[in-house]
Amino acid sequence: MAGAPPFPQPSGLQAWLLSAEPNSRWQARLGRGYLGWRSFTKNPLAVLGLAIVILLVLVAAFADFIAPYSPIVGGDLRTERLLPPSETYWLGTDDQARDIFSRIIYGSRITLFVVILVSIIATPVGLLVGTVSGYLGGWVDTVLMRITDIFLAFPRLVLALAFVAALGPGIENAVIAIAITSWPPYARIARAETLMIRNSDFIAAVKLQGASTPRIIMGHVVPLCVSSLIVRVTLDMAGIILTAAGLGFLGLGAQPPMPEWGAMVATGRNYLIDQWWVAAMPGIAIFVVSLGFNLLGDGLRDVLDPKAAK
Amino acid sequence: MLDIQNLKVVFGTGRLRVEAVKNVSFHVEQGAAYGLVGESGSGKSTVLRAICGLAPITGGRVTVNGEAVTSPRSKAFYRTVQMVFQDPYASLHPRHTVDSTLSEPLAIHGEKDAESRILQALREVGLGPSFRFRYPHQLSGGQRQRIAIARALILRPKVLLLDEPTSALDASVQAEILNLLDDLRRRLGLTYILVSHDLAVVAHLCERLLVMQHGEAVEETTAAALRSGAASNEYTQSLIQASQGFTRAAPQPAQAPAA
């Protein structure tokens, strides 16, 4: 019976990653990450979502090399307006004789800018408000949660409209408006998670070591809230893109001639029947990217938040 | 080392008012091991939590090393008194490696040479350096409890509060942990207060013990007296009986008169 081992042994890197006895902090963390990646890749739709998001990032990064024409300067207005998709203009041209494909490529930058900025502003605010109010409880909790309720009571698009109307239209103001209206749900999630965590023994243990409240919140409570927030933010990104597009559509977001997808749909509205591609192409782009973020968020939920998984 | 006078702990107010501990007093010498025994809800764990500040002290006095404790407790207090929790599955942060769990108290108290202290702490509880970068889910229950003990000992406290440290473990691991605790006490000169509902565990580890019921002290006795089965109090007797296992009452001989 001497000879082949009963199980195939994992080779070099994989064995190192899956080692039950990591030799360093980094090996332990990478091993965890690898396990998460393995369960993530088991879900093909999630991988598709990730691929779409990566594609969006790459397109935004290399827009200068990908786009065949300028997104802002149009061609000959007499001969090149509203041309249907062809070999020269892959997705056709719009009413200013601009190549729609190039505009969508450049528009990905604006979309990515909005999504990243909103999540950078809204997530930390929501996380901080939620964990502080959940951990401290008492009147701090009451005050912070009532503030959250007030922000939650505003309809998102209407508050964004009011905000943009006050500050003037523009993509930056749209971002601020969206961020202001999107943090309250994150605060609620973080608070709910914190309420579950705060009475657990490991928090009591670190309290008994003399840790200060900020230290407990930042070092022990926040890491446990982050994963469910990441999931929620990723799932919200589609909504953020749509709100930004909606503001653009209403003429309150990105201003012409910026190639913002929502604004592009808005211009296409005038030619919807005869030149459908003007509105449809950016619409498809919005749809695909939103779908990508949703699929990614679903996959992340299965990996990061085992409670919510089926 | 530790002196408790007329300790009273009350939770809630009005109709929700619960007197968890009523006028409990006891004294623990340095280097001694003192047991608190009682059924569930007798307030024994609450006494421990009140000592370390996790439960409010409503009345009475808690003195550590001759100094009354302050609320909130000082950093010096936490360097003197540490606690090991009942459930090793709940007392370790699920996202922290053993390394970060053990380095946290050192960082809080600004201790130097964390590296060697962590390795030493692991050695003390009988775990090798290979455990250092594992996550709790990669450890067994007994190994987790060892990590929890290492975490409590890494600041070199003088008093260790043990809240049923073995009740969540299976029998063979229980014995290992108890022997480890016994060994550590002798080597490091620690003072223990052990809470348990298991008389055998208390008799094994402690010299003296206090029996509690409904938040009140029932009887203070010694482990030797407990082993010989001598107890003046009825409740203590019933605990001793319960610890000897369930015995079916002898069937009554049929005395029915023939009719």
Side-chain angles (χ1 to χ4, degrees), chain A residues 196-214:
Chain A
M196 284 198 304
I197 298 165
R198 77 164 181 183
N199 288 325
S200 57
D201 279 354
F202 58 85
I203 296 295
V206 73
K207 250 190 236 168
L208 287 191
Q209 284 151 10
S212 59
T213 305

PDB file of all heavy atoms in Angstrom, chain A residues 196-214:
ATOM      1  N   MET A 196     -26.020  44.468  18.520  1.00  0.00           N
ATOM      2  CA  MET A 196     -25.803  43.030  18.723  1.00  0.00           C
ATOM      3  C   MET A 196     -24.426  42.767  19.323  1.00  0.00           C
ATOM      4  O   MET A 196     -24.247  41.839  20.093  1.00  0.00           O
ATOM      5  CB  MET A 196     -25.911  42.289  17.393  1.00  0.00           C
ATOM      6  CG  MET A 196     -27.326  42.118  16.912  1.00  0.00           C
ATOM      7  SD  MET A 196     -27.416  40.828  15.668  1.00  0.00           S
ATOM      8  CE  MET A 196     -26.243  41.383  14.477  1.00  0.00           C
ATOM      9  N   ILE A 197     -23.449  43.599  18.924  1.00  0.00           N
ATOM     10  CA  ILE A 197     -22.068  43.330  19.317  1.00  0.00           C
ATOM     11  C   ILE A 197     -21.769  43.834  20.720  1.00  0.00           C
ATOM     12  O   ILE A 197     -21.006  43.235  21.456  1.00  0.00           O
ATOM     13  CB  ILE A 197     -21.103  44.023  18.312  1.00  0.00           C
ATOM     14  CG1 ILE A 197     -21.311  43.458  16.921  1.00  0.00           C
ATOM     15  CG2 ILE A 197     -19.667  43.846  18.733  1.00  0.00           C
ATOM     16  CD1 ILE A 197     -20.683  44.318  15.857  1.00  0.00           C
ATOM     17  N   ARG A 198     -22.396  44.948  21.108  1.00  0.00           N
ATOM     18  CA  ARG A 198     -21.859  45.686  22.249  1.00  0.00           C
ATOM     19  C   ARG A 198     -21.952  44.936  23.571  1.00  0.00           C
ATOM     20  O   ARG A 198     -21.213  45.252  24.492  1.00  0.00           O
ATOM     21  CB  ARG A 198     -22.521  47.055  22.350  1.00  0.00           C
ATOM     22  CG  ARG A 198     -23.921  47.018  22.919  1.00  0.00           C
ATOM     23  CD  ARG A 198     -24.322  48.416  23.334  1.00  0.00           C
ATOM     24  NE  ARG A 198     -25.652  48.396  23.900  1.00  0.00           N
ATOM     25  CZ  ARG A 198     -26.276  49.485  24.293  1.00  0.00           C
ATOM     26  NH1 ARG A 198     -25.706  50.643  24.166  1.00  0.00           N
ATOM     27  NH2 ARG A 198     -27.476  49.404  24.801  1.00  0.00           N
ATOM     28  N   ASN A 199     -22.874  44.000  23.688  1.00  0.00           N
ATOM     29  CA  ASN A 199     -22.967  43.270  24.948  1.00  0.00           C
ATOM     30  C   ASN A 199     -22.250  41.931  24.909  1.00  0.00           C
ATOM     31  O   ASN A 199     -22.409  41.118  25.820  1.00  0.00           O
ATOM     32  CB  ASN A 199     -24.435  43.052  25.310  1.00  0.00           C
ATOM     33  CG  ASN A 199     -25.078  44.340  25.758  1.00  0.00           C
ATOM     34  OD1 ASN A 199     -24.442  45.173  26.387  1.00  0.00           O
ATOM     35  ND2 ASN A 199     -26.334  44.526  25.401  1.00  0.00           N
ATOM     36  N   SER A 200     -21.480  41.698  23.844  1.00  0.00           N
ATOM     37  CA  SER A 200     -20.836  40.396  23.767  1.00  0.00           C
ATOM     38  C   SER A 200     -19.597  40.367  24.662  1.00  0.00           C
ATOM     39  O   SER A 200     -19.057  41.395  25.062  1.00  0.00           O
ATOM     40  CB  SER A 200     -20.454  40.086  22.319  1.00  0.00           C
ATOM     41  OG  SER A 200     -19.628  41.098  21.851  1.00  0.00           O
ATOM     42  N   ASP A 201     -19.177  39.149  24.977  1.00  0.00           N
ATOM     43  CA  ASP A 201     -18.083  38.977  25.929  1.00  0.00           C
ATOM     44  C   ASP A 201     -16.779  39.584  25.422  1.00  0.00           C
ATOM     45  O   ASP A 201     -15.978  40.075  26.196  1.00  0.00           O
ATOM     46  CB  ASP A 201     -17.862  37.476  26.192  1.00  0.00           C
ATOM     47  CG  ASP A 201     -18.847  36.956  27.206  1.00  0.00           C
ATOM     48  OD1 ASP A 201     -19.593  37.781  27.757  1.00  0.00           O
ATOM     49  OD2 ASP A 201     -18.868  35.734  27.451  1.00  0.00           O
ATOM     50  N   PHE A 202     -16.554  39.540  24.096  1.00  0.00           N
ATOM     51  CA  PHE A 202     -15.247  40.038  23.652  1.00  0.00           C
ATOM     52  C   PHE A 202     -15.148  41.554  23.779  1.00  0.00           C
ATOM     53  O   PHE A 202     -14.049  42.082  23.941  1.00  0.00           O
ATOM     54  CB  PHE A 202     -14.880  39.555  22.246  1.00  0.00           C
ATOM     55  CG  PHE A 202     -15.843  39.910  21.149  1.00  0.00           C
ATOM     56  CD1 PHE A 202     -15.780  41.120  20.518  1.00  0.00           C
ATOM     57  CD2 PHE A 202     -16.789  38.985  20.743  1.00  0.00           C
ATOM     58  CE1 PHE A 202     -16.655  41.430  19.503  1.00  0.00           C
ATOM     59  CE2 PHE A 202     -17.670  39.294  19.724  1.00  0.00           C
ATOM     60  CZ  PHE A 202     -17.604  40.514  19.108  1.00  0.00           C
ATOM     61  N   ILE A 203     -16.290  42.232  23.757  1.00  0.00           N
ATOM     62  CA  ILE A 203     -16.256  43.675  24.029  1.00  0.00           C
ATOM     63  C   ILE A 203     -16.040  43.900  25.525  1.00  0.00           C
ATOM     64  O   ILE A 203     -15.240  44.759  25.930  1.00  0.00           O
ATOM     65  CB  ILE A 203     -17.563  44.338  23.546  1.00  0.00           C
ATOM     66  CG1 ILE A 203     -17.703  44.211  22.034  1.00  0.00           C
ATOM     67  CG2 ILE A 203     -17.599  45.809  23.962  1.00  0.00           C
ATOM     68  CD1 ILE A 203     -16.671  44.941  21.242  1.00  0.00           C
ATOM     69  N   ALA A 204     -16.718  43.100  26.364  1.00  0.00           N
ATOM     70  CA  ALA A 204     -16.502  43.210  27.811  1.00  0.00           C
ATOM     71  C   ALA A 204     -15.036  42.945  28.131  1.00  0.00           C
ATOM     72  O   ALA A 204     -14.434  43.620  28.968  1.00  0.00           O
ATOM     73  CB  ALA A 204     -17.406  42.226  28.549  1.00  0.00           C
ATOM     74  N   ALA A 205     -14.456  41.963  27.448  1.00  0.00           N
ATOM     75  CA  ALA A 205     -13.062  41.605  27.711  1.00  0.00           C
ATOM     76  C   ALA A 205     -12.133  42.780  27.400  1.00  0.00           C
ATOM     77  O   ALA A 205     -11.224  43.077  28.168  1.00  0.00           O
ATOM     78  CB  ALA A 205     -12.677  40.380  26.886  1.00  0.00           C
ATOM     79  N   VAL A 206     -12.371  43.441  26.279  1.00  0.00           N
ATOM     80  CA  VAL A 206     -11.466  44.533  25.920  1.00  0.00           C
ATOM     81  C   VAL A 206     -11.726  45.746  26.817  1.00  0.00           C
ATOM     82  O   VAL A 206     -10.816  46.515  27.134  1.00  0.00           O
ATOM     83  CB  VAL A 206     -11.542  44.859  24.415  1.00  0.00           C
ATOM     84  CG1 VAL A 206     -12.820  45.563  24.059  1.00  0.00           C
ATOM     85  CG2 VAL A 206     -10.360  45.699  23.993  1.00  0.00           C
ATOM     86  N   LYS A 207     -12.969  45.888  27.286  1.00  0.00           N
ATOM     87  CA  LYS A 207     -13.264  46.933  28.273  1.00  0.00           C
ATOM     88  C   LYS A 207     -12.451  46.685  29.536  1.00  0.00           C
ATOM     89  O   LYS A 207     -11.910  47.607  30.135  1.00  0.00           O
ATOM     90  CB  LYS A 207     -14.740  46.876  28.632  1.00  0.00           C
ATOM     91  CG  LYS A 207     -15.552  48.042  28.131  1.00  0.00           C
ATOM     92  CD  LYS A 207     -16.939  47.987  28.751  1.00  0.00           C
ATOM     93  CE  LYS A 207     -18.007  47.984  27.703  1.00  0.00           C
ATOM     94  NZ  LYS A 207     -19.320  47.651  28.231  1.00  0.00           N
ATOM     95  N   LEU A 208     -12.385  45.412  29.934  1.00  0.00           N
ATOM     96  CA  LEU A 208     -11.673  45.062  31.163  1.00  0.00           C
ATOM     97  C   LEU A 208     -10.171  45.206  31.007  1.00  0.00           C
ATOM     98  O   LEU A 208      -9.435  45.105  31.984  1.00  0.00           O
ATOM     99  CB  LEU A 208     -11.982  43.622  31.560  1.00  0.00           C
ATOM    100  CG  LEU A 208     -13.369  43.395  32.113  1.00  0.00           C
ATOM    101  CD1 LEU A 208     -13.467  42.033  32.717  1.00  0.00           C
ATOM    102  CD2 LEU A 208     -13.701  44.451  33.145  1.00  0.00           C
ATOM    103  N   GLN A 209      -9.709  45.380  29.777  1.00  0.00           N
ATOM    104  CA  GLN A 209      -8.281  45.641  29.626  1.00  0.00           C
ATOM    105  C   GLN A 209      -8.001  47.136  29.729  1.00  0.00           C
ATOM    106  O   GLN A 209      -6.863  47.565  29.630  1.00  0.00           O
ATOM    107  CB  GLN A 209      -7.791  45.105  28.277  1.00  0.00           C
ATOM    108  CG  GLN A 209      -7.649  43.594  28.318  1.00  0.00           C
ATOM    109  CD  GLN A 209      -7.862  42.970  26.980  1.00  0.00           C
ATOM    110  OE1 GLN A 209      -7.938  43.652  25.967  1.00  0.00           O
ATOM    111  NE2 GLN A 209      -7.953  41.660  26.955  1.00  0.00           N
ATOM    112  N   GLY A 210      -9.063  47.912  29.909  1.00  0.00           N
ATOM    113  CA  GLY A 210      -8.875  49.342  30.097  1.00  0.00           C
ATOM    114  C   GLY A 210      -8.949  50.135  28.804  1.00  0.00           C
ATOM    115  O   GLY A 210      -8.503  51.272  28.752  1.00  0.00           O
ATOM    116  N   ALA A 211      -9.525  49.550  27.745  1.00  0.00           N
ATOM    117  CA  ALA A 211      -9.578  50.254  26.466  1.00  0.00           C
ATOM    118  C   ALA A 211     -10.537  51.429  26.546  1.00  0.00           C
ATOM    119  O   ALA A 211     -11.577  51.353  27.197  1.00  0.00           O
ATOM    120  CB  ALA A 211     -10.018  49.300  25.364  1.00  0.00           C
ATOM    121  N   SER A 212     -10.180  52.527  25.863  1.00  0.00           N
ATOM    122  CA  SER A 212     -11.053  53.696  25.837  1.00  0.00           C
ATOM    123  C   SER A 212     -12.199  53.435  24.866  1.00  0.00           C
ATOM    124  O   SER A 212     -12.109  52.576  23.988  1.00  0.00           O
ATOM    125  CB  SER A 212     -10.264  54.913  25.389  1.00  0.00           C
ATOM    126  OG  SER A 212      -9.727  54.673  24.112  1.00  0.00           O
ATOM    127  N   THR A 213     -13.272  54.214  25.022  1.00  0.00           N
ATOM    128  CA  THR A 213     -14.435  54.029  24.156  1.00  0.00           C
ATOM    129  C   THR A 213     -14.098  54.199  22.677  1.00  0.00           C
ATOM    130  O   THR A 213     -14.490  53.355  21.870  1.00  0.00           O
ATOM    131  CB  THR A 213     -15.554  54.998  24.578  1.00  0.00           C
ATOM    132  OG1 THR A 213     -15.813  54.779  25.968  1.00  0.00           O
ATOM    133  CG2 THR A 213     -16.814  54.767  23.797  1.00  0.00           C
ATOM    134  N   PRO A 214     -13.365  55.274  22.265  1.00  0.00           N
ATOM    135  CA  PRO A 214     -13.024  55.372  20.842  1.00  0.00           C
ATOM    136  C   PRO A 214     -12.250  54.152  20.345  1.00  0.00           C
ATOM    137  O   PRO A 214     -12.460  53.677  19.236  1.00  0.00           O
ATOM    138  CB  PRO A 214     -12.152  56.631  20.770  1.00  0.00           C
ATOM    139  CG  PRO A 214     -12.466  57.403  21.978  1.00  0.00           C
ATOM    140  CD  PRO A 214     -12.887  56.440  23.032  1.00  0.00           C
TER     141      PRO A 214
END
